[in-house]
Amino acid sequence: MGRKILSVDQYADEIRSGNRFVLSQAITLAESSLEGNQKLAQEIINLLLPHTGYSLRLGVTGVPGVGKSTFIDQLGMTLIDEGHKVAVLSVDPSSQQSKGSILGDKTRMQQLSQHPKAYIRPSATGNHLGGVAQKTREAILLCEAASYDIIIIETVGVGQSETVVRHMTDFFLLLMISGAGDELQGMKRGIMEMADTIAINKADSGNEKAVQQAQKNYQHALHLFPPVLGKPSPEVLTCSALNNQGLQEIWIYIQQFITDIKASGYFQQQRQQQQRSWMMELIQQKLSQEFFQQPAIRKTLPHVEQAILQSKITAREGAEQLLNMYRY
Ligand code: GDP
């Protein structure tokens, strides 16, 4: 294919026919900060839109070392054995071009990375979580158009990225291990509350008793959260990703969960909410981008910042001064 520039139609056709190279190119266009590339990506996505939305979007989170890549590698192979096509994307706002990303590194998922029915894409780069999230959402759509019917979105269980992934997935799995302190696992109340299910990994090598105890503790903790209308209460399951034990059961559980939330209407409602909040985010991003790009504002901003730092004006006064300069 070389560096040949494809037309929007050609991009769409190649992606639909499963050309992974062109899929990667299109995701790169969507991730690009160049306006022309972004515009092209939008045109491609628009054309492909009727072929999107049909996948199951699974979020997986957990602190580094909990076994996410081992888990996704095994689960992904189980899914492929059942006839699915699996794409793995990651959300890692700390990843930068120069450093490369830890999450989503292809070598982390050895079986999947070699399988023709799997597509692994490292996290979009950038320091701004909102930007990374937006790019990941577009990557989801592109993968769906390429007939990946299960999209796994992985994120490290620290910071705000879980919330972002929760808001782009249908099912959110929190991976944990027994024995590590709760704070160590970033197990803030909020993350547990977001989880549709907790899976305690590494239930092997004589670790089973500790896992059982942890299972009881987490189950108890989960019961303290109020139930969500139309959604089954979260469960605590156990597995050994390394030995491929318990993953089939987790997959069966997920499928039943999805069947239930489709029946109750929650699935559709959640997707609609996600679309709505994506739109809101896009508006906010676009407005703030335009604001900060205006020459007059760019020129004045450092002076206003200085004035605030020197306590000459309040933050509110500074904001108003700049907002008054903004030309719609
Ligand atoms: P990630 O950082 O969350 O992606 O974790 P990895 O999948 O890279 O796993 C971290 C380490 O834990 C690796 O050495 C894995 O081999 C090991 N590991 C993963 N799953 C299991 C498991 O189920 N049991 C045991 N004993 N080790 C595991």
Side-chain angles (χ1 to χ4, degrees):
M1 192 84 32
R3 298 257 90 209
K4 196 175 138 234
I5 303 201
L6 302 177
S7 70
V8 174
D9 287 306
Q10 281 170 327
Y11 266 110
D13 287 346
E14 289 296 325
I15 290 169
R16 287 282 295 141
S17 69
N19 185 331
R20 295 144 61 101
F21 179 73
V22 174
L23 171 64
S24 290
Q25 274 192 332
I27 296 177
T28 303
L29 287 174
E31 288 176 353
S32 164
S33 49
L34 297 177
E35 212 170 300
N37 288 349
Q38 277 183 14
K39 197 167 162 282
L40 180 55
Q42 287 316 315
E43 287 171 15
I44 299 166
I45 292 171
N46 280 344
L47 207 58
L48 290 170
L49 221 48
H51 307 288
T52 64
Y54 298 108
S55 78
L56 178 59
R57 302 165 182 172
L58 297 180
V60 176
T61 190
V63 293
V66 75
K68 288 181 300 301
S69 43
T70 314
F71 181 90
I72 294 170
D73 199 29
Q74 293 285 10
L75 179 69
M77 290 308 292
T78 305
L79 301 175
I80 287 173
D81 284 346
E82 288 189 8
H84 296 286
K85 270 179 81 180
V86 180
V88 182
L89 309 173
S90 26
V91 171
D92 178 5
S94 66
S95 91
Q96 285 169 2
Q97 221 114 40
S98 53
K99 288 197 231 144
S101 85
I102 304 165
L103 273 181
D105 183 341
K106 282 178 204 262
T107 56
R108 288 170 68 239
M109 295 162 204
Q110 287 198 347
Q111 302 175 86
L112 279 187
S113 61
Q114 292 169 14
H115 205 288
K117 290 201 162 179
Y119 178 77
I120 302 177
R121 176 86 186 185
S123 178
T125 55
N127 292 317
H128 174 47
L129 183 57
V132 173
Q134 188 186 323
K135 293 163 186 176
T136 310
R137 284 194 179 105
E138 285 166 352
I140 293 177
L141 298 178
L142 289 165
C143 288
E144 287 178 343
S147 325
Y148 290 91
D149 61 336
I150 303 205
I151 319 273
I152 300 178
I153 301 139
E154 171 195 27
T155 192
V156 159
V158 284
Q160 289 298 304
S161 56
E162 308 88 346
T163 314
V164 159
V165 173
R166 164 73 281 188
H167 288 140
M168 57 175 82
T169 48
D170 306 312
F171 184 93
F172 194 59
L173 180 71
L174 172 59
L175 275 187
M176 299 190 91
I177 40 173
S178 67
D182 290 346
E183 320 83 271
L184 261 182
Q185 300 196 51
M187 201 194 71
K188 292 175 225 95
R189 196 188 134 89
I191 301 176
M192 275 190 81
E193 196 163 9
M194 277 189 280
D196 290 317
T197 276
I198 292 177
I200 307 176
N201 190 31
K202 307 200 186 184
D204 53 46
S205 4
N207 200 16
E208 290 83 355
K209 254 207 141 73
V211 168
Q212 269 178 15
Q213 188 55 47
Q215 189 176 18
K216 272 196 203 134
N217 294 347
Y218 293 143
Q219 192 77 65
H220 181 72
L222 285 177
H223 279 147
L224 301 176
F225 297 128
V228 177
L229 198 66
K231 197 163 90 153
S233 305
E235 295 272 335
V236 183
L237 308 172
T238 64
C239 64
S240 167
L242 194 66
N243 300 340
N244 198 8
Q245 277 164 4
L247 302 197
Q248 188 71 44
E249 287 76 5
I250 292 175
W251 174 230
I252 291 170
Y253 177 86
I254 294 174
Q255 290 174 97
Q256 186 58 52
F257 189 100
I258 297 296
T259 305
D260 290 350
I261 62 172
K262 279 189 172 163
S264 74
Y266 186 88
F267 180 93
Q268 204 47 33
Q269 197 186 318
Q270 179 169 254
R271 283 257 176 126
Q272 282 164 352
Q273 275 300 334
Q274 290 174 352
Q275 283 294 104
R276 186 178 160 278
S277 54
W278 185 9
M279 181 194 75
M280 291 302 203
E281 255 173 60
L282 285 171
I283 292 173
Q284 282 172 7
Q285 273 174 29
K286 185 92 185 154
L287 280 178
S288 98
Q289 219 174 28
E290 279 178 9
F291 177 83
F292 288 109
Q293 273 171 1
Q294 284 204 354
I297 289 178
R298 281 171 65 166
K299 204 167 138 226
T300 315
L301 182 62
H303 302 295
V304 174
E305 280 176 324
Q306 271 308 315
I308 291 172
L309 290 177
Q310 293 164 359
S311 305
K312 288 186 182 154
I313 56 169
T314 65
R316 180 178 290 277
E317 283 168 333
E320 262 165 29
Q321 196 180 323
L322 290 164
L323 283 166
N324 286 338
M325 292 172 68
Y326 182 53
R327 272 186 287 276
Y328 295 93

